[in-house]
Amino acid sequence: MQASSQGVTVVALLADPDAPTDIAKRLARALPDRLADKSGQGRRFDVEVVSQPFTAGAEDASTLMRRIVDRGSAENWDIIVALTDLPLHSHRRRLVVDLSHEHGAALLSLPSLGGWRLQGKARRAVEEAVLSLTGPRATGAERAPRSQPPLGPFAGRLAPIRPGPVDEEEFADLRYVANGPRGYLRVLVGMVRANRPWRLVPGLSKALAAALATGAIATLDSTVWSLATSLSTPRLIVATVGSVGLMIGWLIVDANLWHRTAEGSPEARQRAALYNTSTVVTVSIGVLVCYVGLMAINFVWALFILNDQVFASMTRNPLNATGYWTLSWFVASTATVGGALGSGLGSDEAIRAAAYSKREQERRHMLQGEHDG
């Protein structure tokens, strides 16, 4: 795949389904003009978006690059840039991007760009990849030298991204990886961002319904009033941690979100640890948002339904702002336990989508369906 001799370079954005495809479609709107402005020389670009689960059944960078090159060879494309929301590894390092100047192909792992301003980072990364692949180094017959200077969006003095090792037999001739603890944290935040934890909250509708019912009843119970007023702040914190932890653990077990690998390689274990950590963080964010929402709803419900004289006669404590706050806090913990039980009434796609392993299974099913069709 070499640059078009007619001055029009056809760029294909091969994207995994879901979030990568959404990002690719947004990139494609402005990418032709931006590439034309940056490349100069009167060159024009056409950008196509292809949504395909090209990572199905494989997480090895070399295998994926081979798939990408084969896919590009079968089409009338000059450049192919593949986008995936899976964390990739190479030589026990977290992969950011692979470039093959000889074949005009690039593989970009979106989680390695972090969780903030992802669209802008992805745009700059794709632009630099395309410009690098269409530059003078990409038009020659020889492979690009492996000692090229770092590309701006991929590596820099402040970013935890550096050039990585590439084997001679690989398709890639240039690789960037995320190094060290900051690189790990960057990838983890990117994975949580790719999981889109805000979609988990609607998926907890059954748990929320059970929690709201539990909270509404508990707010009217005089025994709960006495317990709430007698508990110290440290005990309320312990109750919060325990109820939230129970809810998180129950959701992961009930929806079978824990990723287990049959492979014994260090990279497989590293991937499994990343998967499970990102799943726990994603579910934790969703549960904490629900917990705060329960506290707010319980507070409003208590304001509406409770009588301060009855409360004071039963607990010997005045029903002031502190009393409302303490009661709502304790009831939220109690209701969260009830919500954990309610979440087992059924499963939801939004909960299962919070695990990379589940999305990988969906990609495999999608690819199998295409082959059967």
Side-chain angles (χ1 to χ4, degrees):
M1 292 181 290
Q2 295 183 351
S4 173
S5 60
Q6 298 179 353
V8 179
T9 302
V10 180
V11 179
L13 299 181
L14 178 64
D16 266 332
D18 205 12
T21 296
D22 294 339
I23 292 174
K25 289 179 178 178
R26 288 193 292 267
L27 290 177
R29 297 169 188 166
L31 199 57
D33 293 336
R34 294 182 62 89
L35 290 173
D37 292 340
K38 290 189 175 184
S39 65
Q41 303 174 357
R43 175 176 290 167
R44 294 184 294 115
F45 292 84
D46 287 337
V47 178
E48 302 177 10
V49 176
V50 179
S51 181
Q52 178 181 329
F54 69 93
T55 59
E59 293 174 299
D60 175 66
S62 299
T63 301
L64 295 179
M65 279 296 289
R66 186 177 299 108
R67 289 183 181 180
I68 295 166
V69 171
D70 292 342
R71 183 74 171 86
S73 300
E75 303 288 344
N76 189 28
W77 298 330
D78 300 307
I79 300 295
I80 179 171
V81 180
L83 308 177
T84 180
D85 60 354
L86 291 179
L88 302 177
H89 293 77
S90 178
H91 298 84
R92 302 188 66 178
R93 294 175 172 87
R94 291 166 287 277
L95 178 70
V96 179
V97 65
D98 265 356
L99 297 169
S100 175
H101 292 81
E102 180 182 1
H103 300 94
L107 170 62
L108 177 63
S109 176
L110 294 173
S112 63
L113 300 179
W116 314 111
R117 301 187 300 274
L118 179 59
Q119 189 70 34
K121 291 178 181 177
R123 174 177 51 78
R124 291 192 297 271
V126 170
E127 288 175 2
E128 283 295 326
V130 172
L131 293 175
S132 175
L133 295 174
T134 57
R137 291 189 298 268
T139 59
E142 297 181 356
R143 290 167 65 94
R146 299 176 184 271
S147 59
Q148 296 183 56
L151 300 177
F154 303 137
R157 183 170 57 87
L158 299 178
I161 298 176
R162 298 291 182 268
V166 183
D167 294 333
E168 289 292 336
E169 64 273 12
E170 294 188 61
F171 279 98
D173 50 49
L174 185 61
R175 170 173 294 149
Y176 289 93
V177 295
N179 285 331
R182 289 179 59 215
Y184 176 87
L185 182 61
R186 183 186 180 106
V187 173
L188 178 60
V189 172
M191 292 175 67
V192 174
R193 167 65 173 76
N195 280 341
R196 294 186 280 188
W198 55 87
R199 299 198 310 179
L200 182 62
V201 177
L204 296 175
S205 57
K206 295 181 178 66
L208 283 173
L212 288 173
T214 303
I217 296 173
T219 303
L220 303 176
D221 193 326
S222 59
T223 303
V224 175
W225 301 349
S226 300
L227 285 173
T229 55
S230 65
L231 291 177
S232 62
T233 299
R235 288 190 175 185
L236 287 171
I237 294 175
V238 171
T240 299
V241 173
S243 61
V244 170
L246 176 63
M247 181 70 154
I248 294 170
W250 177 255
L251 287 173
I252 292 176
V253 172
D254 184 56
N256 194 23
L257 298 182
W258 197 256
H259 179 81
R260 296 178 177 84
T261 178
E263 302 178 33
S265 65
E267 288 189 358
R269 291 194 298 268
Q270 194 175 39
R271 283 197 302 269
L274 266 175
Y275 288 157
N276 291 327
T277 303
S278 68
T279 296
V280 171
V281 173
T282 301
V283 176
S284 299
I285 292 174
V287 171
L288 287 173
V289 169
C290 292
Y291 186 89
V292 173
L294 282 173
M295 287 185 63
I297 294 174
N298 290 331
F299 187 86
V300 173
W301 173 244
L303 284 174
F304 175 76
I305 202 69
L306 293 185
N307 182 282
D308 55 349
Q309 294 180 354
V310 175
F311 184 91
S313 66
M314 298 297 295
T315 64
R316 298 183 180 180
N317 288 286
L319 186 58
N320 49 24
T322 302
Y324 280 115
W325 165 254
T326 303
L327 178 62
S328 302
W329 187 358
F330 179 66
V331 168
S333 299
T334 304
T336 299
V337 176
L341 299 176
S343 66
L345 297 176
S347 58
D348 194 284
E349 292 298 325
I351 298 178
R352 291 195 293 269
Y356 270 86
S357 57
K358 292 299 176 183
R359 288 213 298 275
E360 170 66 4
Q361 291 177 19
E362 292 170 1
R363 286 193 178 103
R364 296 186 186 189
H365 293 325
M366 185 183 301
L367 190 63
Q368 184 64 38
E370 292 178 357
H371 289 165
D372 294 342

